[in-house]
Amino acid sequence: MTGKSAVVTVDNKSVELPVRSGSIGPDVVDIATLYKQTGQFTYDPGFTSTASCESKITYIDGDEGILLHRGYPIEQLAEHGDFLEICYLLLYGELPSKAQKIDFDYRVTHHTMVHEQMSRFFTGFRRDAHPMAVMCGCVGALSAFYHDSTDITDPHQRMVASLRMIAKMPTLAAMAYKYHIGQPFVYPKNDLDYASNFLRMCFAVPCEEYTVNPVLARAMDRIFILHADHEQNASTSTVRLAGSSGANPFACIAAGIACLWGPAHGGANEAALNMLAEIGTVDRIPEFVARAKDKNDPFRLMGFGHRVYKNYDPRAKIMQKTTHEVLAELGHRDDPLLEVAMELERIALTDSYFIEKKLYPNIDFYSGITLKALGFPTTMFTVLFALARTVGWIAQWNEMIEDPEQRIGRPRQLYIGEPQRDYLPVSKR
Ligand code: SDX
């Protein structure tokens, strides 16, 4: 508490509400007693001004374009760290020592296989099922296989479930891809690092040896880092809300995957690439920018705008650099989609509408071009986002369970329906 307070006056009655300060960022007005003292609720349907929890994991300053994980800037983590190192940081709060990193990497590596019967789940899906639909089903089904890590009151079981989720998401994602394209599943190899293992499970075939390109593996690892966590975004809030009822971690992560799928959220990377393909050439950009500005047209520039970032998304800058690295390595420097993307960005950043609305490219704007160049179909883009975000969801879920202030989430409403009325028999309607 800060000793500061806010006064709310309702019907000539004033109530004093405590103000709480964090370590950095805006203070919050604690309204927990508002209804009890005034009989009134607050109203904030998109949670634009509402904090749902205290957290130590990620801090975002949307005006300054700052993103910190446990205090470390995303630029430094993406430049110097690897994904499992950031997983350790998000889960435990500190960067691992050399010994801790070796132990953590070993533990994750030795959880990468899934129960052999999981493979039968896939055969129930159509081959052309969207991989995100498959992931929703299969991740939720993990709770049917791993009963020994579903007791959320046991910290040891929570950590085992956390490691299992981080370790098995690449395997399930690769299986969803292989099933989608009609190729046999490829088992994980314990002598490969996390990103290399994933690329091999996706792109190796039994007919020949597969050699991982280290430049592409590093790019994949960095893409995972950029997507790892992002404060209380829609899918993380979904995981927290599901977890607040005591649901097991696998079911909570499945709920997060379902929420991430939406095109306004994690589905934007797939939608952004489809939009760039629809624009096709630089000369058609003005037509689409005009549509994005037209209040009567529901079209939006996918990959632009953000609830929090009203400046450049720091992840988008790193993603753009990664895009150029990957295209250079693969000899696609002149990818027409990149040409359209860069010209669209230039035009949008000089257009008064986008400047006024503070719409900048977000992480999804360039990620699609990179993932397409790496060989993934657009239907796999959000699966890769979910793979990376799993550690963020799990870290936030653990923090929620350990928070003594957290209880089942149960928002109220502003009722605008019919006042009480009596039933009329059908003969009188
Ligand atoms: C992610 O929350 C997170 O942290 C999410 C995420 C994460 O890591 O978890 O960062 C990942 O989801 C990134 C965002 C990916 N989505 C997209 O790229 C889809 C396109 N963007 C928009 O749908 C939109 O910008 C949102 C959903 C991202 C943000 O929506 P808000 O905060 O509710 O903003 P808004 O819809 O109220 O827009 C404010 C204004 C509106 O105009 P007015 O009604 O004020 O006249 O800006 C306009 C909008 O019409 N606007 C856009 C636009 N985004 C907002 N106009 C054209 N194109 C756009 N992309």
Side-chain angles (χ1 to χ4, degrees):
M1 293 299 178
T2 62
K4 290 189 280 187
S5 63
V7 175
V8 174
T9 301
V10 178
D11 298 336
N12 297 320
K13 179 187 174 191
S14 294
V15 294
E16 197 168 356
L17 299 169
V19 171
R20 298 164 72 159
S21 288
S23 43
I24 45 179
D27 287 351
V28 298
V29 177
D30 183 340
I31 59 167
T33 61
L34 180 70
Y35 177 60
K36 192 175 176 182
Q37 295 193 67
T38 68
Q40 309 218 356
F41 300 139
T42 58
Y43 183 72
D44 183 11
F47 306 110
T48 52
S49 304
T50 298
S52 61
C53 62
E54 285 187 339
S55 181
K56 301 176 181 175
I57 298 172
T58 291
Y59 175 73
I60 300 171
D61 181 326
D63 294 326
E64 299 300 320
I66 291 170
L67 169 56
L68 308 177
H69 289 316
R70 301 288 190 177
Y72 295 98
I74 188 64
E75 294 83 356
Q76 296 179 26
L77 295 175
E79 184 71 30
H80 305 297
D82 67 52
F83 179 65
L84 284 189
E85 194 175 20
I86 278 75
C87 288
Y88 186 99
L89 174 66
L90 291 171
L91 285 173
Y92 295 105
E94 298 294 338
L95 287 167
S97 66
K98 188 172 181 179
Q100 288 168 331
K101 181 164 178 12
I102 291 168
D103 171 63
F104 184 75
D105 288 5
Y106 179 89
R107 286 189 290 151
V108 170
T109 299
H110 289 79
H111 274 293
T112 48
M113 284 177 72
V114 295
H115 193 293
E116 191 61 14
Q117 284 181 216
M118 277 299 294
S119 57
R120 294 187 201 159
F121 269 85
F122 289 83
T123 54
F125 291 102
R126 288 172 41 156
R127 289 280 182 176
D128 63 352
H130 194 292
M132 280 297 278
V134 174
M135 291 301 285
C136 286
C138 289
V139 171
L142 289 177
S143 40
F145 286 88
Y146 299 107
H147 300 111
D148 62 341
S149 60
T150 52
D151 176 358
I152 65 157
T153 62
D154 178 348
H156 173 71
Q157 289 200 27
R158 289 207 306 272
M159 197 38 74
V160 170
S162 304
L163 287 178
R164 277 175 166 157
M165 276 310 329
I166 294 165
K168 297 180 193 307
M169 280 298 277
T171 309
L172 288 172
M175 291 171 78
Y177 173 56
K178 284 303 202 184
Y179 187 76
H180 193 51
I181 62 175
Q183 288 187 359
F185 298 141
V186 175
Y187 286 92
K189 270 176 87 336
N190 291 350
D191 59 353
L192 292 176
D193 64 70
Y194 193 86
S196 299
N197 210 357
F198 176 64
L199 290 175
R200 183 181 168 278
M201 287 190 285
C202 289
F203 299 121
V205 289
C207 330
E208 58 191 31
E209 282 308 306
Y210 177 82
T211 306
V212 179
N213 178 323
V215 173
L216 303 187
R218 178 66 188 129
M220 187 82 261
D221 191 86
R222 193 182 303 131
I223 290 169
F224 289 158
I225 293 171
L226 294 176
H227 288 82
D229 189 55
H230 212 237
E231 200 208 67
Q232 304 312 318
N233 58 85
S235 53
T236 297
S237 300
T238 300
V239 170
R240 277 180 171 260
L241 197 56
S244 73
S245 74
N248 75 69
F250 306 108
C252 294
I253 298 300
I257 293 171
C259 177
L260 186 75
W261 194 0
H265 189 13
N269 53 18
E270 176 178 354
L273 195 92
N274 292 338
M275 175 192 74
L276 292 172
E278 187 186 357
I279 295 173
T281 54
V282 167
D283 62 324
R284 292 195 64 203
I285 290 175
E287 169 196 337
F288 283 82
V289 169
R291 283 186 57 195
K293 292 156 65 173
D294 179 356
K295 294 303 287 176
N296 300 315
D297 188 329
F299 173 79
R300 286 191 164 179
L301 284 185
M302 302 317 282
F304 275 81
H306 199 276
R307 170 60 56 74
V308 176
Y309 289 124
K310 300 309 174 190
N311 195 321
Y312 215 95
D313 181 339
R315 303 168 298 174
K317 285 196 177 95
I318 304 166
M319 180 57 74
Q320 187 192 63
K321 177 172 170 275
T322 304
T323 302
H324 287 293
E325 283 172 10
V326 167
L327 293 179
E329 176 66 17
L330 294 169
H332 298 179
R333 280 182 203 283
D334 57 353
D335 181 334
L337 287 181
L338 179 64
E339 187 186 358
V340 171
M342 294 184 72
E343 179 61 9
L344 175 59
E345 179 185 14
R346 188 192 66 76
I347 291 173
L349 295 186
T350 56
D351 183 288
S352 56
Y353 172 89
F354 291 90
I355 294 169
E356 177 208 325
K357 304 280 183 194
K358 298 186 175 185
L359 302 177
Y360 292 87
N362 57 48
I363 188 162
D364 296 303
F365 185 61
Y366 282 104
S367 58
I369 299 171
T370 315
L371 297 175
K372 174 176 174 287
L374 288 171
F376 294 103
T378 52
T379 50
M380 277 294 291
F381 290 4
T382 311
V383 172
L384 301 184
F385 194 150
L387 187 168
R389 185 52 58 87
T390 293
V391 62
W393 289 330
I394 277 287
Q396 300 270 353
W397 169 78
N398 275 299
E399 184 178 64
M400 181 271 299
I401 290 175
E402 292 161 6
D403 181 347
E405 279 197 319
Q406 282 297 317
R407 45 207 295 214
I408 188 165
R410 205 275 184 221
R412 300 306 301 270
Q413 63 176 13
L414 174 65
Y415 179 69
I416 56 171
E418 291 291 338
Q420 183 167 327
R421 52 184 170 166
D422 294 330
Y423 178 85
L424 279 180
V426 68
S427 58
K428 293 190 174 177
R429 291 178 209 159

